Amino acid sequence: MSGWAVRVLLIEDEKEIAEFYKDALLEEREFAFQVKHAETLEKGLELLEKGPIDVVLSDLTLSDSRGIETFFRIHERHCRIPVVLLTGLSDGVIALEAVRRGAQDYLIKGEVDGKVLSRVLRYAIERQRIQEELRRQAQIIAQIHDAVICADLEGNITDWNGGAEKLFGYARAEVLGRHLSGLYPDHQRETVEHSVIPKLKEEGAKAFEVVMNRKWGEPFYAHLSLSLLKDEKGHPTGMAGYAVDISDRKRAEKSKDDFVGIVSHELRGPLSVIRESVSQVLDGLYGPVSERQAKTLRMNLGSIDRLGRIVDDLLDVAKLEAGEMNLRKGKTDLVSLVDDLAEHFSPQLERKGIEMKISASDPAVEIVADRDKLIQVFSNLIGNAIKFSDGRTISVSIRDGEGEVICSVSDTGRGIDKAELERVFEKFRRIPNETERREKGTGLGLAICKGIVDAHGGRIWAESRLNEGTKFIFSLPKTSADLPVTRGMG
Ligand SMILES: Nc1ncnc2c1ncn2[C@@H]1O[C@H](COP(=O)(O)OP(=O)(O)OP(=O)(O)O)[C@@H](O)[C@H]1O
Ligand SMILES: [Mg+2]
């Protein structure tokens, strides 16, 4: 015997039967039992008040109470203590009803020995504990302010809390068994079913921002965190989602983006006037310029150009976010495009002692795309490798694949930390470190690259190992079809 004794309250008015059960429990070798005995329900309830009792074993038919009423009177005041009922052969139906209403089990008198009795009582305690725990967890979920939704692997809703009722406007009973797709606008369904759910099965958890629909059809932005539910062997059984309404944040972001768009647009005019006037003074149009003056003016021109590039980047971001980036597509050979860029970057490469290697699957790799925009993508990736990597080699690769072209720019530099790698495509994201403090940048380049590649119907991602290097890879479809421009970046 080990551990603490199980404290049993036995309510039984027939002395012999009571003695039998008491002896059976006390003789039990494997587990220790302490038995308190009451002959009436009244006395039993008194002992329960005094406590502590782990489990009640009670006859249904007592001198002061009969039938299911006996169970109710125990359970209403002590619902957390498991109750096992003792019944006669003819009370089976009543006992079953009691189990349905919260009793843990019932035993037919005369059909039990000490071993069975001991096991039934211990199981009753354990089951009660598990039920309490489940109830407690269900209560927590029900009371969470945000929406919690569970679904099976096919996407049929299996659970729906009060937060979900409030957020979506559907009562729990209305949605149980319905398919999740009813919560998305039609245009999002494809993404959710063919991209999000398979990814979730692969990775186990996924968080993203989506447009969802309320009951009355109103769309709203939600931040959705999904995780896979698994059985004890680790096999997926369903998914749990946690949704928060982020419409306010999205509205604020939009007005900030609109503001940035308008301001950048307004800056462009005066900036070109300033540039023109400085150039004219530098060219001596208004009289001779001393060497010192010329040096200052050239510095000014450099700053004006940099400001101009930032304004252009901000405008690009604003356009991409509004889905207004118009692509001027034409036949473009990516190999010659990169060759030209190598020429352009050669002074910088030389200055830093970096070697740039270009490899292509074919002498020319043609696609239908916006050449200027792809120059922007390659320029930023090559520019970043020169600025940040501290590596000695940059390799650009262009591969003609099936239906798409795969390009990459890799360096042999310091690499990017895994946590940062997931965020480098976000706007204004710059990794705080030594190199970066020396290097100028706004943190818009990669966000624009992603926007441009997305707008072409392609995909961009990065792979990196610390102190070994970073590889930025993007795919572009070869087809000329005008693909819808995706809204929102990073
Ligand atoms: N090849 C690389 N190696 C190491 N870090 C990199 C590399 N490329 C980008 N990064 C990091 O990612 C950040 C984001 O790059 P991004 O091109 O978006 O911005 P930026 O170059 O700083 O500014 P901008 O491109 O707007 O002038 C950089 O600030 C840098 O910290
Ligand atoms: Mg950059």
Side-chain angles (χ1 to χ4, degrees), residues 313 380 384-385 387-389 411 414-416 424 429-431 436 440-447 470 472:
D313 280 356
N380 186 57
N384 281 354
K387 277 199 291 185
F388 303 114
S389 80
D411 61 63
R414 61 177 161 91
I416 301 173
V424 282
R429 187 76 198 163
R430 308 196 71 219
I431 305 169
E436 199 184 284
K440 293 197 175 86
T442 323
L444 289 174
L446 287 175
T470 309
F472 284 91

Side-chain angles (χ1 to χ4, degrees), residues 24-89:
L25 285 174
L26 295 177
E27 277 165 22
E28 175 54 30
R29 297 275 113 221
E30 219 177 319
F31 290 91
F33 289 93
Q34 273 174 15
V35 184
K36 282 187 185 165
H37 175 219
E39 286 181 353
T40 60
L41 183 61
E42 209 56 48
K43 189 87 183 62
L45 291 174
E46 251 172 53
L47 288 174
L48 269 173
E49 286 301 333
K50 282 192 198 140
I53 298 291
D54 297 316
V55 59
V56 175
L57 178 63
S58 174
D59 192 356
L60 269 182
T61 316
L62 298 162
S63 59
D64 55 348
S65 175
R66 303 196 141 257
I68 201 162
E69 201 47 39
T70 309
F71 165 68
F72 287 157
R73 285 179 59 195
I74 302 170
H75 191 60
E76 73 183 358
R77 272 200 262 166
H78 303 277
C79 64
R80 301 177 73 171
I81 299 178
V83 178
V84 174
L85 297 167
L86 288 166
T87 69
L89 262 179

Side-chain angles (χ1 to χ4, degrees), residues 162-183:
E165 291 192 339
K166 261 186 250 139
L167 184 60
F168 291 93
Y170 293 102
R172 185 180 149 85
E174 280 178 281
V175 292
L176 288 189
R178 297 290 190 91
H179 196 264
L180 277 178
S181 55
L183 305 174

